[in-house]
């Protein structure tokens, strides 16, 4: 039985061929696929991080909101009925003394603004009643004085409307440089009330009322002017 003895150089070549690394072509053949996988993983991690950041922000707002509103105590008081009634009274008269010369071609704004207007009105008229005691214990400041000034100008615009023979266009006539005074003064009135009692809840109601009421009024004003 014969054995073939290979030269040492041949054995070394065979050993190196077994443990040799892949060529450049083989080494980088899977690199594009790996890059796509890494990019996809990084994209997922970024999205998850942004979601957690948003959740932390919401959690922070919800955590601090009760602290801000902790001093707001529910309780009925006569002042809680009077404040919204002062704004509501001319509108109640408006139901019985309807305007004249109403254009028939006025188109309504998107329904979302009408919904916001109604929701804001309900909130602004209801919250002072529910938290009337909180309003009653507030000291008289310059903010309450500004509320009174808004109320005076508001009634002046209503008097102007009735003296004109209840002409529809007088509901939207500017007061000097101020456009839509019958829409702006109620918004300012309830906004000042929110600042006066330092309440985010009242401020949110005034903001919703402002967005809806001013948009609806401006839509009519632009069509009749």
């Amino acid at each position: 039985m014969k054995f073939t003895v290979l030269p040492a150089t041949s054995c070394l070549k065979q050993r190196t061929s077994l443990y040799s690394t892949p060529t450049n072509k083989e080494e980088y053949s899977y690199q594009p696929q790996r890059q796509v996988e890494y990019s996809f993983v990084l994209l997922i991690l970024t999205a998850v991080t942004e979601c957690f950041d948003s959740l932390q922000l919401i959690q922070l707002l919800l955590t601090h909101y009760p602290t801000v509103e902790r001093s707001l105590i529910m309780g009925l008081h006569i002042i809680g009925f009077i404040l919204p009634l002062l704004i509501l009274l001319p509108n109640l008269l408006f139901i019985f003394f309807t305007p004249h010369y109403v254009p028939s071609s006025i188109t309504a704004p998107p329904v979302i603004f009408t919904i916001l207007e109604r929701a804001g009105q309900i909130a602004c008229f209801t919250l002072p009643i529910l938290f009337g005691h909180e309003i009653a214990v507030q000291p008289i400041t310059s903010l309450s004085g500004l509320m009174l000034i808004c109320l005076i100008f508001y009634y002046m615009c209503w008097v102007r409307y009735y003296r004109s023979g209840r002409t529809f266009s007088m509901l939207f006539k500017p007061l000097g440089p101020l456009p839509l005074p019958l829409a702006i003064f109620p918004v300012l009135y309830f906004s000042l009330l929110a600042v006066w009692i330092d309440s985010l809840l009242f401020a949110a109601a005034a903001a919703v009322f402002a967005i809806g009421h001013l948009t609806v009024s401006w839509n009519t004003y632009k069509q009749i002017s």
Side-chain angles (χ1 to χ4, degrees):
M1 189 173 180
K2 294 182 180 180
F3 295 94
T4 306
V5 179
L6 296 173
T9 54
S10 177
C11 291
L12 287 174
K13 286 181 181 180
Q14 288 182 359
R15 249 180 227 183
T16 33
S17 65
L18 290 174
Y19 299 102
S20 62
T21 56
T23 60
N24 290 339
K25 186 176 180 180
E26 294 174 352
E27 181 180 359
Y28 294 102
S29 60
Y30 297 101
Q31 187 171 356
Q33 182 179 357
R34 289 176 182 175
Q35 287 179 350
V36 172
E37 291 175 356
Y38 292 156
S39 301
F40 184 68
V41 171
L42 288 175
L43 181 63
I44 293 176
L45 291 176
T46 304
V48 171
T49 305
E50 291 178 355
C51 289
F52 274 111
D53 290 340
S54 302
L55 291 175
Q56 288 175 359
L57 178 61
I58 296 173
Q59 182 181 5
L60 182 64
L61 292 174
L62 294 177
T63 302
H64 287 280
Y65 177 76
T67 306
V68 176
E69 292 289 348
R70 188 171 296 166
S71 60
L72 198 63
I73 302 172
M74 292 183 66
L76 300 180
H77 194 278
I78 186 62
I79 192 67
F81 290 89
I82 293 176
L83 289 182
L85 183 61
L86 291 173
I87 293 291
L88 189 60
L89 183 59
N91 295 275
L92 294 176
L93 295 175
F94 181 76
I95 298 175
F96 300 100
F97 300 98
T98 56
H100 299 149
Y101 312 112
V102 181
S104 58
S105 59
I106 295 179
T107 58
V111 68
I112 182 63
F113 294 107
T114 304
I115 294 174
L116 290 175
E117 182 186 32
R118 296 292 178 259
Q121 286 173 341
I122 294 172
C124 288
F125 292 137
T126 304
L127 288 176
I129 297 174
L130 297 177
F131 298 97
H133 178 74
E134 184 69 26
I135 299 173
V137 299
Q138 299 295 323
I140 301 299
T141 64
S142 58
L143 292 172
S144 53
L146 289 174
M147 288 177 61
L148 179 61
I149 293 174
C150 287
L151 196 62
I152 292 173
F153 279 104
Y154 182 62
Y155 274 85
M156 286 175 55
C157 294
W158 277 109
V159 170
R160 182 183 64 174
Y161 160 72
Y162 284 109
R163 290 186 61 182
S164 69
R166 306 202 307 270
T167 305
F168 180 78
S169 59
M170 293 299 293
L171 294 170
F172 306 91
K173 184 178 180 180
L175 183 65
L178 185 66
L180 302 175
L182 284 176
I184 290 177
F185 284 123
V187 170
L188 289 177
Y189 180 83
F190 288 112
S191 300
L192 290 169
L193 176 60
V195 178
W196 183 31
I197 67 173
D198 193 20
S199 171
L200 290 177
L201 185 61
F202 278 67
V208 172
F209 176 54
I211 295 172
H213 191 51
L214 294 178
T215 304
V216 172
S217 300
W218 181 258
N219 174 71
T220 306
Y221 171 71
K222 292 300 291 181
Q223 294 183 61
I224 66 175
S225 60

